[in-house]
Amino acid sequence: MMSANISTLMLSSSLRSSITNNQALLSKASKEATTGRFADVGLELGATTGSDLTLRADLSFADQLVDTNGLVSGRLNVTQDRITQLGSTATDFLKDLIAARSTDGGGRIILPPASSNLQDLIGALNVSYNGSYLFSGINTQNTPITAYTAGSASKNQVDSDFLSTFGFSQSSASVSSITPAQMQTFLDTTFDAEFASPAWNTNWSSATDQVMQSRISTTEIADTSVSANQTGFRKLAEAYTMMADLGNTNLNQATFQVVVDKAIGLVGNAITDLATLGGDVGTVQQRITSATSKLKTQQDILNNQIVGIEHVDPAEASVRVNTLQTQIQTALALTSRLQKISLVNYL
């Protein structure tokens, strides 16, 4: 009797152990049949695991660069659109300036587009993308250009400069007494200085000259933003401001023409500057497109190498799954039958 009880216990324990082991093997085989790769890569590859890890690290880095390039491309697309928009607006304004130069009441005619263009310029330079200001240089969390409104630093300084130079404000009737020579001197010295450093950085801009840089491939780093401190933007700001806020509606015709001529020169140069700037941005966009294409090719190569190292035949893994399931079911059936065995049945 004692011998029979021990034999039954041993068989039951052996079957339970077999079921436990086969369930672990079944989990592994099921995972390999589903994924097509080793369930435990390190265990299977042994000493060659290091090479596999290196390949996976290279693939991860390539994935990160492709994702980063996608974000950078989005930022540059918006940047390029704004530069193109500003260039187009400036070109139209240049035509307006030429038309207004010899027109009676030219100051009143040019005032609305000048004021509107100044606000559009500030709005374009203050555009954000994914929570970052595109024209702020590396200060991406700061609005680059202050609004030109009553009480703003830029507006206050222009008012102060005009008053200290001529002795009256832009809205005064005395504006008509300003001679062409006086206006030319003011524009070429005091007013010009407001759009150059350090006054520009104090009263208008919080952007940095240093721009954002991004790694676009394993070997390339590119400038991937544009600063609001670019000379083309400053020239437009100066031209729009002088046509909007130097009392042009009250200037005599000769003095008004001095202001217009200055603005024509600034806008013409700004259009050229913006075209060059847009070309530079376009070059970076092309570099990113090329780098991303090469990275995707590299991803395919690395992925194929990894698959070659880690690959498991799904069909063979499926056979193991079926075999293990049969073995587990058989062991469970035998265990159930053993549990029903009793000496009482034979007495």
Side-chain angles (χ1 to χ4, degrees), residues 134-156:
L134 298 184
F135 292 92
S136 284
I138 60 174
N139 290 338
T140 57
Q141 299 306 306
N142 296 333
T143 307
I145 302 297
T146 59
Y148 189 82
T149 56
S152 67
S154 51
K155 168 66 172 168
N156 286 345

Side-chain angles (χ1 to χ4, degrees), residues 292-312:
T292 300
S293 178
K294 292 177 182 177
L295 284 167
K296 289 182 177 179
T297 299
Q298 183 181 1
Q299 284 176 310
D300 292 338
I301 294 172
L302 290 169
N303 189 61
N304 289 336
Q305 291 177 321
I306 292 169
V307 169
I309 293 174
E310 300 179 353
H311 178 68
V312 172

Side-chain angles (χ1 to χ4, degrees), residues 11-12 33 88 138 192 204 264 342:
L11 285 172
S12 295
S88 177
I138 60 174
D192 270 350
W204 287 82
I264 287 174
S342 172

Side-chain angles (χ1 to χ4, degrees), residues 1-12 338 341-343 346:
M1 185 184 299
M2 182 65 72
S3 175
N5 286 340
I6 293 173
S7 177
T8 301
L9 177 62
M10 289 178 62
L11 285 172
S12 295
L338 281 173
I341 294 176
S342 172
L343 288 175
Y346 301 96

Side-chain angles (χ1 to χ4, degrees), residues 42 51 87 118 134 140 146 157 159 170 187 219 221 240 244 280 301:
S51 297
L118 178 58
L134 298 184
T140 57
T146 59
Q157 191 59 55
D159 291 347
Q170 299 97 303
L187 293 177
T219 58
I221 294 176
Y240 295 152
D280 292 341
I301 294 172

Side-chain angles (χ1 to χ4, degrees), residues 13-148:
S13 297
S14 177
L15 287 170
R16 284 195 296 270
S17 177
S18 174
I19 291 170
T20 301
N21 291 337
N22 283 345
Q23 284 176 332
L25 292 173
L26 177 61
S27 176
K28 174 184 176 184
S30 297
K31 184 175 181 180
E32 291 179 346
T34 302
T35 64
R37 64 188 293 264
F38 294 126
D40 189 334
V41 175
L43 178 63
E44 299 292 342
L45 296 183
T48 60
T49 302
S51 297
D52 183 67
L53 291 176
T54 298
L55 289 172
R56 283 201 164 273
D58 290 343
L59 179 59
S60 177
F61 186 43
D63 289 343
Q64 292 173 6
L65 288 175
V66 169
D67 290 343
T68 298
N69 284 355
L71 293 173
V72 170
S73 293
R75 293 203 309 264
L76 288 178
N77 287 340
V78 176
T79 300
Q80 186 72 280
D81 286 345
R82 293 300 181 273
I83 293 173
T84 300
Q85 168 197 329
L86 292 175
S88 177
T89 300
T91 299
D92 291 340
F93 188 68
L94 185 59
K95 297 175 184 177
D96 293 338
L97 284 171
I98 295 172
R101 185 181 186 280
S102 301
T103 302
D104 289 337
R108 287 186 297 274
I109 295 172
I110 204 67
L111 177 59
S115 299
S116 176
N117 289 355
L118 178 58
Q119 299 309 315
D120 289 346
L121 172 65
I122 293 171
L125 295 180
N126 286 341
V127 67
S128 63
Y129 182 85
N130 279 350
S132 298
Y133 291 102
L134 298 184
F135 292 92
S136 284
I138 60 174
N139 290 338
T140 57
Q141 299 306 306
N142 296 333
T143 307
I145 302 297
T146 59
Y148 189 82

